Amino acid sequence: MAKVLVVGGGGREHAIVHALSKSKKVNEIYAAPGNAGIAKLAMCVNIKDTEVDKIVEFAKAEAIDLVVVGPEASLALGIVDELQKNNIKVFGPTKAAARIESSKNFAKDLMLKYGIPTARYEVFENYEEAMAFVKISPFPTVIKYDGLAAGKGVVIANNLIEADNALKDMLLDDKFGKGKVVIEDYLEGPEFSFMCFVNGENVYPLEMAQDHKRAYDNDRGPNTGGMGAYSPLPFIKEADYDFALNEIMKKAAKALVNEECPFTGVLYGGLMKTKRGIKVIEFNARFGDPETEVVLPRLTSDIYDAFNAVIDGKEPVLTWDKCATIGIVLASKGYPGEYKKGFVIENADSDDIYHMGTKIDENGNLVTNGGRVLFAVAKGDTLEEANKKAVKLVSEIKCDNLFYRRDIGAKAFRK
Ligand code: AMP
Ligand code: GLY
């Protein structure tokens, strides 16, 4: 029987812990730091996901059989390299391979060199040079900070003033730290997320999902970290799927091998179906959040076995429930702007509710503790049925300070 440690403490990690808890081979699950929902399935240890040394010490002391890393911040710090040095088995890419997410410049150069379709781009370190380029570019234009920026490093500038503000923030005021920017063409079309297990050149696709970035129904309101997701995707036809797998994901895996930083773990393609074909918006070096929360509930094979197979260079068994899943985020009123915390939550005990930002307060109550608080997932024979069930599940949760979207997946089933 195995002991597993999951690094991270959001909805994604709750879904990973939930999937691991179904494995007959796993009898102890730890999470660092975990959250109030994860605590029902795993032992939460008070170590932050960025405290790499402490995580390594804990894994050694507890003789952990497998570590699964959720967040990009831990990967970019080299948590996988450190665990490997200490002979601890880990599912995730090395620091060098994780650059496909932690450096937009690295990812774009890789795509250009290996013919992976993406928006045209230029890289700048100097504010004046970047502004000179923007002045001769069409709007909207897309400005991206090169490094990790917790999802806030991308600005779609509609005019010169917006571009100027973004470039000042990134290159003069070092809002996200000292670094470069990538300026790229604006693309249009539906976005979708394609996560694949990867070991070197071997690529094993998971089911696809789509995130919903805008705060309110009908894609109105500000951009957020994601307000809901669904799987599978009816608008992805067989030819789209084959292209995304062969011309994007497999090429990217091979490119990383050629660059001598082979990838092991889950490679996330943030893709867009444009009129001119499928193109890469970004790569991530980890499970997507909230996509993972709608994809893993459809997995019917053992995830612990799959993680081990991938690490050992073998083909994992991945089988899927044909059902549709829809997941709805319950966010604090005000999110993605300012919001208050500490509101009591009731009726959120279902196994189908993942915790994103919660805690148990001093009175033992479950309370809100973040912008995105809970993620309620429902299964159905169709997306429409799953949506109805998810909305019902959400409407039963009692809390004074949460809002949510009712239209997750609706574009896919409303004609
Ligand atoms: P990223 O962090 O690179 O995924 O960017 C965040 C979001 O910005 C994406 O999910 C897209 O909605 C949008 N975005 C990024 N790059 C582009 C682009 N070249 N064209 C249009 N939208 C983009
Ligand atoms: N859902 C987008 C991400 O995980 O980055």
Side-chain angles (χ1 to χ4, degrees):
M1 293 297 269
K3 280 182 166 183
V4 185
L5 168 65
V6 175
V7 176
R12 166 182 54 206
E13 288 77 17
H14 195 171
I16 294 169
V17 166
H18 188 214
L20 282 164
S21 74
K22 291 192 257 176
S23 169
K24 291 194 176 62
K25 312 242 170 80
V26 175
N27 67 337
E28 280 178 57
I29 309 176
Y30 296 86
N35 64 33
I38 291 174
K40 288 196 273 180
L41 300 167
M43 197 82 122
C44 293
V45 286
N46 191 12
I47 305 176
K48 288 196 205 120
D49 56 24
T50 48
E51 293 179 315
V52 172
D53 292 347
K54 286 191 185 169
I55 290 171
V56 173
E57 280 315 307
F58 177 83
K60 277 205 298 200
E62 289 296 327
I64 295 291
D65 296 294
L66 173 69
V67 179
V68 182
V69 184
E72 62 272 24
S74 321
L75 297 168
L77 287 169
I79 191 170
V80 170
D81 312 58
E82 292 308 314
L83 287 162
Q84 283 173 346
K85 270 188 222 155
N86 286 279
N87 295 317
I88 297 160
K89 205 165 187 182
V90 53
F91 183 81
T94 59
K95 184 175 182 174
R99 282 179 300 165
I100 198 159
E101 171 169 11
S102 63
S103 168
K104 303 257 185 217
N105 187 182
F106 174 82
K108 295 295 283 191
D109 287 355
L110 190 83
M111 288 187 261
L112 183 67
K113 182 169 172 188
Y114 292 92
I116 298 168
T118 189
R120 282 187 312 168
Y121 72 103
E122 296 282 340
V123 182
F124 296 94
E125 264 175 275
N126 176 280
Y127 164 78
E128 279 79 22
E129 285 171 22
M131 271 306 278
F133 177 75
V134 163
K135 279 182 186 154
I136 55 163
S137 306
F139 287 105
T141 190
V142 183
I143 301 176
K144 300 184 173 184
Y145 178 68
D146 175 50
L148 293 182
K152 299 194 171 72
V154 176
V155 173
I156 301 188
N158 291 301
N159 52 52
L160 201 56
I161 296 170
E162 287 176 12
D164 190 29
N165 287 337
L167 290 171
K168 276 194 182 121
D169 278 351
M170 293 181 199
L171 293 176
L172 294 183
D173 299 340
D174 297 339
K175 189 171 165 186
F176 306 109
K178 199 132 200 75
K180 299 178 264 194
V181 298
V182 170
I183 303 183
E184 67 179 36
D185 286 354
Y186 177 77
L187 303 176
E188 276 176 290
E191 288 181 58
F192 61 103
S193 309
F194 194 14
M195 298 186 276
C196 296
F197 285 170
V198 171
N199 181 322
E201 290 189 19
N202 299 314
V203 175
Y204 310 105
L206 311 189
E207 291 285 293
M208 289 179 173
Q210 190 185 46
D211 192 358
H212 289 53
K213 290 276 179 198
R214 298 296 197 104
Y216 313 129
D217 276 1
N218 301 315
D219 290 331
R220 285 177 299 114
N223 259 312
T224 69
M227 292 299 293
Y230 70 95
S231 175
L233 305 182
F235 70 93
I236 297 300
K237 307 299 174 204
E238 203 178 321
D240 299 326
Y241 184 90
D242 291 346
F243 185 87
L245 181 60
N246 297 316
E247 301 302 319
I248 295 177
M249 304 309 290
K250 286 190 180 171
K251 267 195 186 171
K254 194 164 187 332
L256 289 167
V257 172
N258 285 353
E259 296 297 311
E260 292 176 4
C261 49
F263 191 100
T264 304
V266 55
L267 181 63
Y268 167 118
L271 311 181
M272 188 186 270
K273 186 172 168 176
T274 76
K275 287 203 177 90
R276 295 180 167 193
I278 295 175
K279 299 196 194 265
V280 178
I281 295 291
E282 64 166 348
F283 282 114
N284 292 328
R286 51 164 174 89
F287 281 106
D289 195 358
E291 292 91 333
T292 302
E293 294 94 302
V294 292
V295 169
L296 292 189
R298 296 186 55 213
L299 183 70
T300 48
S301 50
D302 186 311
I303 200 167
Y304 177 74
D305 283 343
F307 285 146
N308 276 297
V310 173
I311 298 169
D312 296 341
K314 297 182 192 140
E315 180 164 359
V317 177
L318 296 170
T319 54
W320 303 96
D321 191 335
K322 289 216 173 355
C323 71
T325 44
I326 290 209
I328 301 176
V329 171
L330 290 103
S332 296
K333 284 180 188 161
Y335 173 80
E338 281 187 29
Y339 55 84
K340 295 194 186 115
K341 298 181 186 178
F343 291 83
V344 174
I345 306 165
E346 285 172 306
N347 256 4
D349 298 324
S350 159
D351 280 351
D352 300 322
I353 298 174
Y354 296 123
H355 289 224
M356 302 181 110
T358 62
K359 70 169 192 186
I360 304 289
D361 73 1
E362 55 279 9
N363 304 317
N365 292 319
L366 179 69
V367 296
T368 63
N369 193 39
R372 291 185 300 167
V373 176
L374 296 168
F375 190 82
V377 183
K379 288 183 180 174
D381 289 338
T382 62
L383 285 168
E384 189 161 15
E385 187 191 329
N387 171 285
K388 281 208 182 92
K389 286 189 185 167
V391 170
K392 183 164 182 292
L393 185 59
V394 165
S395 64
E396 285 163 4
I397 297 172
K398 291 207 169 60
C399 180
D400 285 343
N401 198 47
L402 297 177
F403 76 97
Y404 60 93
R405 282 180 62 160
R406 292 171 170 271
D407 69 335
I408 303 301
K411 273 195 192 144
F413 61 77
R414 264 185 216 145
K415 293 287 168 296

